[in-house]
Amino acid sequence: MSPFLTPSHQARVIFYHIVIVTVGVTERGQVKDDTQSGRGRSIARRDFVNGVLVASTMGVAPLTSSRAATSGGPYVPALTGMRGSAPGLFEAGHALRDHALGSHHTQDVDELYDLVIVGAGISGLSAAHFYRKYAGSNKKILILDNHDDFGGHARRNEFDVDGTRLVLNGGTLEIESPGRYNRWARTLLDDLGIDLARYRRDCAPVERVYEAHGLTHGVFFDSATWGRDEMVSASLRRGGVHWSFIDADMVARMPLSPRAKADLLRLIDPAQPDYLGALDVAAKKTLLATMSYKDYLLTVARVDPGVYWLFQKALSGVFCVGADALPALFAWMYGYPGFSGLGLGEAPEGLLSDLPGGQHGRQRESGEDVHFPDGNATIARLLIASLVPGVTKANTQEAMAGAHLDYTALDRPGAAVRVRLKSMVVHVAHDGDPAKGGTVALTYSPSGEAHPAQMTRVRGRQVILACWNMVIPYMMPELPEAQKKALSDAVKGPLVYVNVALRNWHAFERLRVSEILCPGSFFDEVALMEPAQIGAVQAPHDPARPIVVRMIKTMGQPGLPKREQYRAARSLLLSLDFATFEREVRGQLQRMLGPGGFDAARDIAAITVNRWPHGYAYTYNSLDDPLDWVFTETDDRPCVRARQPFGCVSIANSDAAASPHTDAAILEAHRAVEEVLERSTFPFVVHR
């Protein structure tokens, strides 16, 4: 029976997911207690900081100890437990925000660099690359980052399970629409020797490995939301996404009311009615741009609330909010159902794709996306290899796939480029009048400590802030107030990528699914790793062998504007410790896969939670922002006003393009380097 999900019902579901850490999961399916799910059975170590579980290693042996970082310490990509923005790495940032850093001693070190870059993500590393390329390899560069790994969201996760090495992205997924990449992003890929055509050829023999095993798309209905746990697999594997694989046979097997089933069949029918017949096409598109997909489904298409609940997380993996904050026009452009009768025509290929970064929701998907096994961590690792040669000898995409990096080589005295991790910059200020140039002093806290006994100050002739826009006003008080306000507009979207290493994938084969949507569950999507092979990394072939499963959770809080959802979701995400995620991983996988013979206690080898409370860059939303911000390249957009240079400081990040795409981060890096070179070449040109 399809539930009528009132706001109070939705609140109870959200609350239920939070309190489940104490009450167990007996009401939601097959897992009756922690012992049955295996939670805690094979955990090698738990460290608690202020009550938060910060690291956990599961499996027959601690996976983190099998590969050292050359110095004997843990190899960062192989760490499990809470990763991403993990405890101990961001507290100084929060203290800075709260004006609570307190008193400390600052040590001035004798380090003056030609360029200091704050942020070792794709944008910061790209800025270093372009600067060396144009200014010369003899220039001294320091890159500071608060995390314990480089790449920003382009993070790599590694697992060693029963002798099988597994690699998956812990953040940025893919090179999206590479044919539409801007000039400088394409140049960077060429400079690094990335050959996407060669990679596609190498992966072609394995791209249909799941299809060869008879695996399709699936939808999992959980008992807390739908009355019973039910896995409904597609009849055939179709190439589409966003529910385009639904057919009448699937609908018949879904735990929906008769009315909901009828409404869903109508919604996916190419011959459905024109719900906006009184309007011309221009008026229809204007209305859809200013109406949420939720309102469109419930008040225009008039579907049963149970049908809406199926789609309430529509495009949440893209925008970090659900259908209540998603313009209906974006849902149409991405191929969601309900629009085939409106006569809107086809969205032109590459529509608006030349705007900086190609913002999500403003163009059709190209189908040419490229996903390396570790996502865009491959780009970050190749950048590091070119910037700091002592880190690895690998210099091709094939060699990098299996390369073991020496993290101790990142920050060696005397090197032309030094990358200093676990260093949270808390203050940036010119030594004198910004209008007269000179040097810039940067103070950072070791390991992100909120109350360090000592901080360190270095100096740069030029500075590029390649960190988050929203932290810049706090670290650089001398900026003009109008620019601080524009920087604060870029509220980032929280999300979580949880990678679960399994000892086998028999259950997926028996249930005939490889990608599963989970409306109402704690995790929104569950999928087997994408089949890819490159260098030492091989694609999965044998269901008896280990594999990695990706579980995605977005944290939108329905009923609030997009920016407010992000703020509320970030607070919620930071309140969830690893123990919560572990319980939810084990419980949801057991309920979903138990009928296929899955045993969470036996089959789960390791869990890595990639927590990104400051995840995707804010993209303008036509429900809350002016239409010209969303659909034009106007300089009035806050992202343009925020990225203006000031004195010897430039700004480069994905926020500067209001786009979370990798090519946006690279584009903004190149712009910032151009500003740096202009100031260096023409010192009488200042920015204030």
Side-chain angles (χ1 to χ4, degrees):
M1 178 177 181
S2 173
F4 188 92
L5 291 167
T6 63
S8 62
H9 184 117
Q10 294 181 32
R12 288 197 299 274
V13 171
I14 294 171
F15 176 74
Y16 186 81
H17 286 320
I18 296 173
V19 301
I20 196 171
V21 296
T22 60
V23 301
V25 293
T26 55
E27 296 179 55
R28 300 182 59 187
Q30 302 164 10
V31 181
K32 302 186 185 305
D33 55 40
D34 285 348
T35 302
Q36 183 174 340
S37 70
R39 179 172 173 261
R41 179 182 295 183
S42 304
I43 294 184
R45 191 188 88 247
R46 285 186 173 177
D47 295 331
F48 286 85
V49 176
N50 296 326
V52 178
L53 180 62
V54 300
S56 169
T57 305
M58 289 168 288
V60 174
L63 300 180
T64 58
S65 65
S66 61
R67 293 164 60 79
T70 299
S71 65
Y75 186 58
V76 177
L79 291 173
T80 58
M82 187 68 78
R83 303 294 298 136
S85 292
L89 301 176
F90 59 82
E91 286 77 4
H94 286 185
L96 176 65
R97 175 200 63 193
D98 300 334
H99 307 286
L101 276 177
S103 60
H104 54 266
H105 173 70
T106 300
Q107 177 187 11
D108 273 288
V109 296
D110 186 21
E111 294 184 16
L112 174 63
Y113 296 88
D114 296 297
L115 176 64
V116 178
I117 299 171
V118 180
I122 291 289
S123 198
L125 296 177
S126 298
H129 172 84
F130 286 127
Y131 182 70
R132 293 189 80 215
K133 180 177 179 178
Y134 299 146
S137 59
N138 62 325
K139 296 294 184 180
K140 293 180 62 179
I141 302 173
L142 174 66
I143 305 174
L144 298 166
D145 196 284
N146 68 301
H147 292 99
D148 60 355
D149 204 352
F150 58 83
H153 298 141
R155 184 68 63 89
R156 176 182 173 102
N157 289 169
E158 293 187 14
F159 302 92
D160 187 351
V161 180
D162 301 335
T164 298
R165 187 180 181 192
L166 301 167
V167 174
L168 199 68
N169 63 295
T172 309
L173 176 66
E174 62 195 0
I175 298 174
E176 188 170 17
S177 302
R180 299 178 187 148
Y181 260 34
N182 60 73
R183 172 186 176 186
W184 304 118
R186 292 195 302 269
T187 296
L188 181 80
L189 297 186
D190 290 342
D191 288 348
L192 297 177
I194 293 177
D195 188 330
L196 301 182
R198 187 172 77 232
Y199 179 62
R200 290 192 189 97
R201 288 195 301 270
D202 291 344
C203 291
V206 299
E207 64 181 6
R208 297 185 180 276
V209 64
Y210 298 141
E211 187 174 354
H213 283 271
L215 276 54
T216 69
H217 300 280
V219 182
F220 175 69
F221 297 86
D222 68 294
S223 59
T225 308
W226 304 95
R228 69 177 187 268
D229 288 337
E230 185 75 35
M231 178 76 76
V232 179
S233 60
S235 303
L236 298 172
R237 185 175 183 86
R238 294 177 173 84
V241 292
H242 310 315
W243 296 88
S244 59
F245 55 83
I246 295 179
D247 59 18
D249 177 68
M250 284 191 74
V251 173
R253 291 181 281 127
M254 291 180 177
L256 302 174
S257 69
R259 182 198 162 187
K261 289 183 178 181
D263 285 350
L264 180 55
L265 289 172
R266 167 169 57 88
L267 201 66
I268 64 176
D269 188 344
Q272 66 191 283
D274 183 349
Y275 306 115
L276 299 173
L279 302 177
D280 61 27
V281 170
K284 288 177 180 177
K285 290 182 178 178
T286 301
L287 178 63
L288 294 177
T290 54
M291 168 185 286
S292 73
Y293 189 40
K294 173 185 178 181
D295 288 343
Y296 177 79
L297 291 176
L298 293 178
T299 67
V300 177
R302 297 183 180 277
V303 300
D304 181 89
V307 174
Y308 163 66
W309 195 244
L310 280 175
F311 300 103
Q312 58 95 18
K313 281 295 187 91
L315 287 176
S316 61
V318 174
F319 295 104
C320 303
V321 288
D324 70 300
L326 173 72
L329 188 70
F330 287 11
W332 164 65
M333 295 185 72
Y334 269 83
Y336 273 81
F339 305 99
S340 61
L342 301 189
L344 300 178
E346 293 291 328
E349 182 71 19
L351 178 65
L352 301 177
S353 63
D354 290 332
L355 295 182
Q359 291 185 23
H360 275 309
R362 304 190 309 181
Q363 63 186 51
R364 292 176 57 191
E365 293 185 323
S366 67
E368 59 175 350
D369 305 336
V370 174
H371 173 232
F372 286 105
D374 61 4
N376 288 1
T378 289
I379 298 176
R381 285 158 62 88
L382 284 168
L383 279 165
I384 283 290
S386 67
L387 293 168
V388 191
V391 173
T392 177
K393 294 181 180 179
N395 59 6
T396 67
Q397 60 192 32
E398 290 82 8
M400 191 58 71
H404 180 89
L405 274 57
D406 181 3
Y407 277 69
T408 66
L410 288 172
D411 188 18
R412 285 180 175 164
V417 180
R418 301 175 69 173
V419 181
R420 192 164 296 165
L421 301 175
K422 301 178 72 172
S423 301
M424 175 75 206
V425 176
V426 297
H427 194 258
V428 179
H430 287 80
D431 292 318
D433 188 347
K436 296 181 179 178
T439 59
V440 180
L442 300 95
T443 304
Y444 64 88
S445 169
S447 302
E449 297 174 15
H451 305 289
Q454 179 172 299
M455 293 194 187
T456 304
R457 182 181 293 129
V458 298
R459 283 177 167 79
R461 294 186 175 91
Q462 303 280 353
V463 171
I464 292 178
L465 300 180
C467 48
W468 307 325
N469 269 12
M470 60 195 307
V471 76
I472 293 176
Y474 298 99
M475 69 167 57
M476 195 171 179
E478 67 183 9
L479 284 173
E481 291 303 316
Q483 187 170 8
K484 290 181 184 178
K485 182 178 179 181
L487 286 161
S488 299
D489 181 80
V491 183
K492 299 178 83 71
L495 75 163
V496 182
Y497 278 2
V498 177
N499 290 330
V500 185
L502 302 183
R503 302 191 187 284
N504 63 77
W505 43 289
H506 286 308
F508 284 88
E509 184 182 40
R510 291 168 186 146
L511 295 172
R512 298 180 53 253
V513 290
S514 61
E515 302 173 54
I516 309 165
L517 298 177
C518 312
S521 295
F522 186 84
F523 291 101
D524 311 330
E525 302 174 32
V526 177
L528 295 176
M529 60 189 293
E530 293 190 26
Q533 60 183 17
I534 179 172
V537 176
Q538 297 301 305
H541 287 279
D542 183 357
R545 302 293 298 162
I547 201 168
V548 182
V549 173
R550 177 187 295 111
M551 305 178 75
I552 299 175
K553 180 172 180 60
T554 53
M555 308 293 296
Q557 300 296 290
L560 298 173
K562 185 176 176 179
R563 289 179 181 82
E564 295 307 312
Q565 287 204 39
Y566 284 175
R567 293 187 177 99
R570 178 159 42 255
S571 178
L572 173 60
L573 177 55
L574 288 172
S575 73
L576 302 180
D577 61 12
F578 179 76
T580 304
F581 282 105
E582 183 190 356
R583 184 186 293 265
E584 292 290 353
V585 164
R586 293 178 178 276
Q588 186 166 337
L589 288 180
Q590 188 63 51
R591 290 190 303 275
M592 293 171 55
L593 305 175
F598 179 81
D599 183 333
R602 177 194 65 209
D603 296 335
I604 293 178
I607 301 173
T608 300
V609 177
N610 298 280
R611 181 174 66 177
W612 302 116
H614 301 275
Y616 287 162
Y618 183 86
T619 57
Y620 298 119
N621 187 312
S622 54
L623 301 180
D624 307 311
D625 300 311
L627 292 180
D628 61 336
W629 290 7
V630 182
F631 295 104
T632 76
E633 209 170 354
T634 174
D635 288 345
D636 188 51
R637 292 173 297 160
C639 66
V640 178
R641 290 184 273 121
R643 71 192 185 208
Q644 297 306 305
F646 180 80
C648 297
V649 177
S650 290
I651 295 172
N653 50 40
S654 59
D655 291 334
S659 169
H661 293 315
T662 293
D663 61 322
I666 298 170
L667 176 69
E668 297 306 323
H670 191 273
R671 173 194 48 76
V673 168
E674 286 183 317
E675 293 169 358
V676 167
L677 296 173
E678 178 188 62
R679 291 193 297 263
S680 301
T681 306
F682 307 111
F684 53 84
V685 177
V686 295
H687 299 274
R688 186 173 184 178

